[in-house]
mmCIF file with all atom_site columns, all heavy atoms in Angstrom:
data_model
loop_
_atom_site.group_PDB
_atom_site.id
_atom_site.type_symbol
_atom_site.label_atom_id
_atom_site.label_alt_id
_atom_site.label_comp_id
_atom_site.label_asym_id
_atom_site.label_entity_id
_atom_site.label_seq_id
_atom_site.pdbx_PDB_ins_code
_atom_site.Cartn_x
_atom_site.Cartn_y
_atom_site.Cartn_z
_atom_site.occupancy
_atom_site.B_iso_or_equiv
_atom_site.pdbx_formal_charge
_atom_site.auth_seq_id
_atom_site.auth_comp_id
_atom_site.auth_asym_id
_atom_site.auth_atom_id
_atom_site.pdbx_PDB_model_num
ATOM 1  N N   . ILE A 1 4   ? 1.895  -1.880 36.450 1.00 78.00 ? 4   ILE A N   1
ATOM 2  C CA  . ILE A 1 4   ? 2.833  -2.728 36.046 1.00 78.00 ? 4   ILE A CA  1
ATOM 3  C C   . ILE A 1 4   ? 3.055  -3.826 36.895 1.00 78.00 ? 4   ILE A C   1
ATOM 4  O O   . ILE A 1 4   ? 3.497  -3.779 38.096 1.00 78.00 ? 4   ILE A O   1
ATOM 5  C CB  . ILE A 1 4   ? 4.271  -2.046 35.823 1.00 78.00 ? 4   ILE A CB  1
ATOM 6  C CG1 . ILE A 1 4   ? 4.016  -0.759 34.962 1.00 78.00 ? 4   ILE A CG1 1
ATOM 7  C CG2 . ILE A 1 4   ? 5.372  -2.893 35.359 1.00 78.00 ? 4   ILE A CG2 1
ATOM 8  C CD1 . ILE A 1 4   ? 5.225  0.232  35.023 1.00 78.00 ? 4   ILE A CD1 1
ATOM 9  N N   . GLY A 1 38  ? 15.660 7.036  25.985 1.00 97.00 ? 38  GLY A N   1
ATOM 10 C CA  . GLY A 1 38  ? 15.429 5.941  25.009 1.00 97.00 ? 38  GLY A CA  1
ATOM 11 C C   . GLY A 1 38  ? 16.829 5.524  24.292 1.00 97.00 ? 38  GLY A C   1
ATOM 12 O O   . GLY A 1 38  ? 17.064 4.278  24.228 1.00 97.00 ? 38  GLY A O   1
ATOM 13 N N   . ALA A 1 55  ? 32.597 -2.258 33.319 1.00 98.00 ? 55  ALA A N   1
ATOM 14 C CA  . ALA A 1 55  ? 32.022 -1.202 34.135 1.00 98.00 ? 55  ALA A CA  1
ATOM 15 C C   . ALA A 1 55  ? 32.478 -1.407 35.610 1.00 98.00 ? 55  ALA A C   1
ATOM 16 O O   . ALA A 1 55  ? 32.748 -0.367 36.263 1.00 98.00 ? 55  ALA A O   1
ATOM 17 C CB  . ALA A 1 55  ? 30.450 -1.369 33.930 1.00 98.00 ? 55  ALA A CB  1
ATOM 18 N N   . GLU A 1 108 ? 14.071 28.430 35.616 1.00 97.00 ? 108 GLU A N   1
ATOM 19 C CA  . GLU A 1 108 ? 13.847 28.648 37.007 1.00 97.00 ? 108 GLU A CA  1
ATOM 20 C C   . GLU A 1 108 ? 12.865 27.673 37.416 1.00 97.00 ? 108 GLU A C   1
ATOM 21 O O   . GLU A 1 108 ? 12.886 27.031 38.575 1.00 97.00 ? 108 GLU A O   1
ATOM 22 C CB  . GLU A 1 108 ? 13.251 30.113 37.160 1.00 97.00 ? 108 GLU A CB  1
ATOM 23 C CG  . GLU A 1 108 ? 14.375 31.163 37.152 1.00 97.00 ? 108 GLU A CG  1
ATOM 24 C CD  . GLU A 1 108 ? 15.495 30.854 37.996 1.00 97.00 ? 108 GLU A CD  1
ATOM 25 O OE1 . GLU A 1 108 ? 15.341 30.543 39.185 1.00 97.00 ? 108 GLU A OE1 1
ATOM 26 O OE2 . GLU A 1 108 ? 16.713 30.887 37.695 1.00 97.00 ? 108 GLU A OE2 1
ATOM 27 N N   . ARG A 1 110 ? 12.285 24.590 36.436 1.00 98.00 ? 110 ARG A N   1
ATOM 28 C CA  . ARG A 1 110 ? 12.725 23.175 36.439 1.00 98.00 ? 110 ARG A CA  1
ATOM 29 C C   . ARG A 1 110 ? 13.625 23.266 37.838 1.00 98.00 ? 110 ARG A C   1
ATOM 30 O O   . ARG A 1 110 ? 13.605 22.233 38.703 1.00 98.00 ? 110 ARG A O   1
ATOM 31 C CB  . ARG A 1 110 ? 13.651 22.725 35.303 1.00 98.00 ? 110 ARG A CB  1
ATOM 32 C CG  . ARG A 1 110 ? 12.849 22.255 34.109 1.00 98.00 ? 110 ARG A CG  1
ATOM 33 C CD  . ARG A 1 110 ? 13.675 21.690 33.124 1.00 98.00 ? 110 ARG A CD  1
ATOM 34 N NE  . ARG A 1 110 ? 14.182 20.419 33.436 1.00 98.00 ? 110 ARG A NE  1
ATOM 35 C CZ  . ARG A 1 110 ? 15.443 19.968 33.034 1.00 98.00 ? 110 ARG A CZ  1
ATOM 36 N NH1 . ARG A 1 110 ? 16.051 20.639 32.193 1.00 98.00 ? 110 ARG A NH1 1
ATOM 37 N NH2 . ARG A 1 110 ? 15.817 18.704 33.486 1.00 98.00 ? 110 ARG A NH2 1
ATOM 38 N N   . SER A 1 123 ? 12.778 12.462 54.767 1.00 96.00 ? 123 SER A N   1
ATOM 39 C CA  . SER A 1 123 ? 14.087 12.125 55.335 1.00 96.00 ? 123 SER A CA  1
ATOM 40 C C   . SER A 1 123 ? 15.237 12.918 54.468 1.00 96.00 ? 123 SER A C   1
ATOM 41 O O   . SER A 1 123 ? 16.159 13.510 55.230 1.00 96.00 ? 123 SER A O   1
ATOM 42 C CB  . SER A 1 123 ? 14.395 10.632 55.183 1.00 96.00 ? 123 SER A CB  1
ATOM 43 O OG  . SER A 1 123 ? 15.656 10.355 54.698 1.00 96.00 ? 123 SER A OG  1
ATOM 44 N N   . ALA A 1 141 ? 24.479 29.537 41.713 1.00 97.00 ? 141 ALA A N   1
ATOM 45 C CA  . ALA A 1 141 ? 25.220 29.344 40.529 1.00 97.00 ? 141 ALA A CA  1
ATOM 46 C C   . ALA A 1 141 ? 25.813 30.688 39.963 1.00 97.00 ? 141 ALA A C   1
ATOM 47 O O   . ALA A 1 141 ? 25.458 31.095 39.008 1.00 97.00 ? 141 ALA A O   1
ATOM 48 C CB  . ALA A 1 141 ? 24.332 28.583 39.495 1.00 97.00 ? 141 ALA A CB  1
ATOM 49 N N   . PRO A 1 169 ? 26.669 11.939 36.043 1.00 93.00 ? 169 PRO A N   1
ATOM 50 C CA  . PRO A 1 169 ? 25.788 11.186 35.280 1.00 93.00 ? 169 PRO A CA  1
ATOM 51 C C   . PRO A 1 169 ? 25.075 11.776 34.200 1.00 93.00 ? 169 PRO A C   1
ATOM 52 O O   . PRO A 1 169 ? 24.484 12.871 34.386 1.00 93.00 ? 169 PRO A O   1
ATOM 53 C CB  . PRO A 1 169 ? 24.803 10.611 36.457 1.00 93.00 ? 169 PRO A CB  1
ATOM 54 C CG  . PRO A 1 169 ? 25.318 11.227 37.728 1.00 93.00 ? 169 PRO A CG  1
ATOM 55 C CD  . PRO A 1 169 ? 26.119 12.417 37.367 1.00 93.00 ? 169 PRO A CD  1
ATOM 56 N N   . LEU A 1 226 ? 40.999 1.536  53.053 1.00 98.00 ? 226 LEU A N   1
ATOM 57 C CA  . LEU A 1 226 ? 42.123 1.384  52.435 1.00 98.00 ? 226 LEU A CA  1
ATOM 58 C C   . LEU A 1 226 ? 43.045 2.689  52.621 1.00 98.00 ? 226 LEU A C   1
ATOM 59 O O   . LEU A 1 226 ? 42.646 3.730  52.836 1.00 98.00 ? 226 LEU A O   1
ATOM 60 C CB  . LEU A 1 226 ? 41.968 1.139  50.900 1.00 98.00 ? 226 LEU A CB  1
ATOM 61 C CG  . LEU A 1 226 ? 41.167 0.014  50.379 1.00 98.00 ? 226 LEU A CG  1
ATOM 62 C CD1 . LEU A 1 226 ? 41.262 -0.059 48.841 1.00 98.00 ? 226 LEU A CD1 1
ATOM 63 C CD2 . LEU A 1 226 ? 41.625 -1.340 51.048 1.00 98.00 ? 226 LEU A CD2 1
#
Side-chain angles (χ1 to χ4, degrees):
I4 304 169
E108 285 307 313
R110 284 188 69 208
S123 141
L226 299 185

